[in-house]
Amino acid sequence: MGKIPAAKKQKPYESLRIQVSKVSELVDMGPKFSKAVSVDHLLSMIVKQTLDVTNTDVCIIWLKDNNGNLIPRISFGLKTKLIRSLKMRFASRMVRCIMKKAQPVTIYNIARSTKFHLKNLILKEKLASLLAAPLVIGQEKIGVIMVMTRTKRHFSEVDVKIFNALSRQAALGIGNVKLYDVADRRVKDKIKEISALFTMSHYASESVDLDLILNVILEKTRMLLKAHSCVLRVLDSSRKRTFTVTSGLTKAGAKALLKFEGELSSRVLRSGFPLVIPDIQSHDKTKASKFIRKCGIHSLVMVPLYSKRRKNGVLSVFMPEVRIFEKETIEMVEMVANLCAMSIDNSAMLERIQKDYLNSIRMLAKIIDANDTYTRGHCEKVMKYSLYICKKMGVPERYTEAVKTASLLHDIGKVGIDLNIIRKKGALTKKDWNKVRLHPDIGARIVSQIGFLNDIVPIIRHHHARYNGGGYPEPRITGDKIPLGARIIAVADAFDAMTSDRPYRKAISRKEAIEELKRCSGRQFDPEIVKLFLN
Ligand SMILES: [Fe+2]
C-alpha cells in the first residue's frame, strides 16, 4: 500500500475507504505474523506493516531484557545510526507514561513535550509527532512500539484505535514466536543432550582406558549442563576405598570440594535417591565452606551410581547459579551416572579377562621354561630383574606393566624352534644359532595376535638388539631407537643367563657377570641401564 494523504484532507467517502482498507489490513496481520520463523523476522514484518497502516515516517520497537531495560530491537526510517543509543530504563518517566495508559500516547509536538526524553533523536532526525503504545501479553508488559512523523500531525481517534489494535496484534505475535522459540530451544537442547550422550557412550565403548573415559564423560557433562564442576566418587570392589574423578577443578579446588561433598555423597549412597539442593549457600550455611562461596557454587544435583543393583558411587554436578532443577536435567545426570557405572563394570570385566589371559600366557612361558632343563625359572628371574631396573629408573606404572609382561614372554618365540636345538647339551652350531636367532621375530608375531598385548610387540622383537647396532633380528636398530623395555630386558636377560648353568658352559659368578655387564656397557647394553642396575 502506498502513501496515504492525511485523513483530514480526504473527502468523507475517501476517508471511509481508507479506514476500511486499514481495518482489512489489520485483520490480515494475525495470519501474516503467524508465518514468522523468528522474533527478528516477526519484528521486521510488524515494522513494515505498521508504517504502511499508520502512514508515518519512523517506527521503532523496544523489547524488555532480563535486567528490566528496554532494548531497541528494530527501527525503520531513521537516517542516522542513533538506534544503538536508544536503550531505555523500564522505570524511566517516558516509559512509565506509555505503560500506564490503556490507550496509545500521542504527542503533537515532541520537541516541546516534557514526557519525551530522547531529545538527541528528535533533533538529529527532525521528528515532529509521535504515537506510542505498550506491547502487552496477558499481564506482562514486554516492550514498546512507537511511530513518528517528520511533519507535525494530529493523530485522529481512528489512527489511535487502529494503532492500538495493531500493537495488540504485534504483542500477540511476539508472544507466540517467543513460545515457539522456547519450544525450539528445548528441542535443540534435547538434541544436544542426546548427541552428547551418544558421543560419550561411543567413546566409552571404543576406549579401554577407564581414566580417560571417565574424564571425557565428566568434561562433556560439565560443558553440556554449563556446570561449574563435576565430581565422580566411586567405591572400589572391596567397598573400603574410593577413587575420584573431577572436572573443572584445580588440584586444590578438587580437594576442598571433595571435603564438602563427602558427607552429602554418603547421604545419597544411604538413600539411593538423587539429592538436589537449589541453593547450597542458604541451605547449609555452616557447611558451605569458604571454597564454595569463593568459587560461586550455588546449586547441585547428586545421583547414585548402580552396578548390578548395588550402589557403588555418586555423580555430583555443581552449578554456578541458584537453580530449581527440572526433572529432565536430573534424568540426564542419571543417564550419565549409568554410563559411568557401565564403563566401570566393563573396565573391571576387561581387567579380569586380561588377568586370566595373562595367567594363561604365564603358564605357557613356564611350559617353555620347563622344556629346557637349563633355563627353568629364567623368565620369572628376568621379570624380577626388569622390574628392579624399572623401579630404579622411575618408569611410569603403565609402561612398567608392559615390561613385566614382555619379560615373562620375551622368549615365547622359542616354541617355534626345534626342541632338539633348545635341549641340545653341547655347543650350538652356526646353523643352530641361525634358527635360535629367529625366536624374537616368532615371539613378536605370536604376541601381535593378542590385541591388548600390542604394546609389548616391539619390546619382544628387539630384546636381542645391541645398543651399538649389532644383535638380531634384521633390520637392526641402535641406541635409543631400541624400545626402552627391550634395552631393560636385554640387561636382565644377560645377567640371568650368565649366572645360570647352560648346556655348553657353567654359570659364572655374580661378580664376574657384573664385570661382563660393565665391559659390554655402551656396546651391547644401554650404559645408563647398566649403571642403574649395578648401583
Ligand atoms: Fe631371548
Side-chain angles (χ1 to χ4, degrees):
M1 194 174 160
K3 289 266 179 185
I4 301 166
K8 63 181 182 181
K9 292 181 183 172
Q10 305 297 318
K11 290 178 181 174
Y13 69 89
E14 183 62 10
S15 170
L16 187 64
R17 189 189 67 76
I18 292 168
Q19 284 173 23
V20 169
S21 165
K22 286 179 179 179
V23 170
S24 160
E25 283 198 40
L26 263 177
V27 171
D28 288 345
M29 272 182 197
K32 271 188 190 169
F33 290 171
S34 68
K35 287 177 186 161
V37 291
S38 66
V39 173
D40 286 339
H41 181 208
L42 175 70
L43 292 178
S44 124
M45 288 167 81
I46 293 171
V47 163
K48 280 180 191 159
Q49 203 75 31
T50 305
L51 285 171
D52 215 7
V53 172
T54 57
N55 190 26
T56 48
D57 301 308
V58 171
C59 179
I60 305 174
I61 295 176
W62 286 263
L63 291 182
K64 195 165 82 167
D65 71 2
N66 293 332
N67 301 318
N69 291 315
L70 282 177
I71 309 294
R73 286 291 297 268
I74 191 166
S75 71
F76 196 88
L78 291 178
K79 291 171 183 168
T80 62
K81 291 183 177 174
L82 278 170
I83 177 81
R84 289 177 191 166
S85 61
L86 298 184
K87 178 177 161 183
M88 299 190 285
R89 282 184 303 108
F90 208 73
S92 70
R93 194 173 165 215
M94 187 175 96
V95 176
R96 273 190 287 125
C97 174
I98 297 168
M99 290 295 180
K100 72 180 178 189
K101 297 273 176 68
Q103 291 292 313
V105 171
T106 58
I107 302 177
Y108 173 68
N109 186 353
I110 315 172
R112 287 200 177 170
S113 169
T114 51
K115 296 173 193 167
F116 201 88
H117 61 64
L118 302 172
K119 299 292 179 193
N120 205 19
L121 177 74
I122 306 160
L123 288 173
K124 289 202 170 166
E125 291 284 340
K126 296 187 173 62
L127 297 168
S129 308
L130 80 73
L131 198 50
L135 295 168
V136 184
I137 305 172
Q139 299 297 314
E140 194 191 355
K141 288 161 181 168
I142 60 156
V144 166
I145 181 166
M146 189 181 283
V147 288
M148 287 169 273
T149 55
R150 288 199 165 84
T151 51
K152 288 194 185 105
R153 172 168 160 191
H154 281 288
F155 289 101
S156 69
E157 196 185 335
V158 174
D159 286 336
V160 172
K161 279 189 175 167
I162 285 176
F163 186 66
N164 196 24
L166 194 146
S167 67
R168 285 167 197 270
Q169 285 273 21
L172 201 66
I174 293 168
N176 286 341
V177 174
K178 276 192 165 179
L179 277 178
Y180 171 79
D181 271 1
V182 169
D184 189 46
R185 204 165 47 241
R186 282 194 174 171
V187 170
K188 281 179 181 159
D189 284 350
K190 209 73 204 161
I191 291 170
K192 221 189 266 179
E193 281 176 17
I194 291 167
S195 156
L197 273 171
F198 179 77
T199 311
M200 287 182 214
S201 65
H202 179 72
Y203 205 88
S205 63
E206 285 288 301
S207 176
V208 289
D209 186 336
L210 182 64
D211 272 355
L212 197 63
I213 294 171
L214 296 178
N215 273 302
V216 168
I217 292 177
L218 256 61
E219 186 61 12
K220 285 205 171 290
T221 305
R222 190 171 70 86
M223 307 290 270
L224 184 71
L225 298 176
K226 297 185 178 77
H228 172 276
S229 47
C230 294
V231 172
L232 178 69
R233 190 184 280 269
V234 184
L235 295 172
D236 75 359
S237 49
S238 66
R239 303 181 73 77
K240 283 178 187 159
R241 288 188 313 138
T242 60
F243 73 86
T244 53
V245 184
T246 63
S247 167
L249 295 163
T250 59
K251 207 172 174 184
K255 197 177 166 191
L257 192 58
L258 283 166
K259 200 173 165 190
F260 167 77
E261 175 260 14
E263 195 190 318
L264 295 174
S265 278
S266 306
R267 215 194 290 175
V268 173
L269 277 172
R270 278 197 300 275
S271 73
F273 290 104
L275 172 70
V276 175
I277 301 179
D279 185 4
I280 310 170
Q281 300 198 11
S282 61
H283 172 81
D284 197 341
K285 284 181 182 168
T286 52
K287 284 180 185 158
S289 65
K290 268 186 189 170
F291 172 75
I292 297 278
R293 290 176 191 284
K294 198 175 153 194
C295 65
I297 291 175
H298 276 279
S299 51
L300 65 82
V301 53
M302 298 171 91
V303 300
L305 258 69
Y306 281 92
S307 168
K308 293 168 193 151
R309 295 190 184 169
R310 284 180 75 188
K311 290 165 276 181
N312 71 337
V314 175
L315 173 64
S316 311
V317 179
F318 296 90
M319 306 298 290
E321 73 276 347
V322 174
R323 178 163 170 180
I324 307 291
F325 288 95
E326 292 166 331
K327 192 171 155 244
E328 286 84 0
T329 309
I330 300 168
E331 283 173 356
M332 166 76 192
V333 179
E334 283 180 317
M335 276 192 268
V336 174
N338 286 340
L339 194 59
C340 291
M342 195 183 77
S343 302
I344 294 164
D345 283 350
N346 286 349
S347 169
M349 192 169 70
L350 194 65
E351 214 170 278
R352 278 197 301 277
I353 293 170
Q354 287 183 351
K355 212 170 166 183
D356 289 348
Y357 216 97
L358 211 56
N359 279 340
S360 309
I361 290 168
R362 212 168 176 165
M363 284 298 294
L364 186 63
K366 279 186 178 170
I367 292 167
I368 300 159
D369 267 2
N371 274 342
D372 185 343
T373 326
Y374 288 91
T375 60
R376 195 163 292 164
H378 171 67
C379 294
E380 292 285 338
K381 281 191 272 175
V382 173
M383 181 190 79
K384 199 176 86 184
Y385 294 139
S386 298
L387 290 181
Y388 172 75
I389 297 169
C390 284
K391 197 175 169 189
K392 282 269 202 169
M393 292 185 83
V395 173
E397 194 183 339
R398 204 179 160 84
Y399 196 73
T400 299
E401 275 301 309
V403 175
K404 181 182 173 184
T405 312
S407 57
L408 274 174
L409 300 177
H410 71 282
D411 275 343
I412 197 169
K414 285 187 178 171
V415 293
I417 311 293
D418 186 347
L419 211 56
N420 292 323
I421 298 175
I422 301 290
R423 287 181 171 174
K424 195 167 180 179
K425 289 193 174 168
L428 299 183
T429 63
K430 194 180 173 190
K431 202 174 163 190
D432 293 339
W433 272 116
N434 285 342
K435 286 187 178 165
V436 170
R437 282 191 176 118
L438 295 174
H439 81 272
D441 243 344
I442 298 172
R445 263 184 280 145
I446 293 172
V447 172
S448 67
Q449 305 300 311
I450 305 160
F452 71 90
L453 291 180
N454 276 348
D455 286 355
I456 69 166
V457 173
I459 302 180
I460 290 186
R461 175 169 285 124
H462 297 291
H463 77 274
H464 282 292
R466 285 172 177 250
Y467 194 71
N468 64 358
Y472 52 94
E474 305 273 356
R476 291 174 182 142
I477 48 175
T478 59
D480 292 349
K481 285 187 180 153
I482 304 168
L484 176 66
R487 281 179 272 144
I488 291 173
I489 290 173
V491 173
D493 189 19
F495 187 75
D496 183 61
M498 287 189 283
T499 52
S500 307
D501 285 335
R502 287 289 148 99
Y504 42 89
R505 59 150 177 80
K506 282 279 172 194
I508 58 172
S509 69
R510 288 174 74 89
K511 198 178 165 191
E512 286 170 315
I514 288 169
E515 286 309 312
E516 185 62 11
L517 283 183
K518 282 182 185 170
R519 195 179 65 79
C520 298
S521 174
R523 288 187 289 159
Q524 185 173 350
F525 308 115
D526 182 335
E528 193 61 29
I529 293 174
V530 172
K531 197 170 141 195
L532 284 168
F533 181 57
L534 299 181
N535 284 337

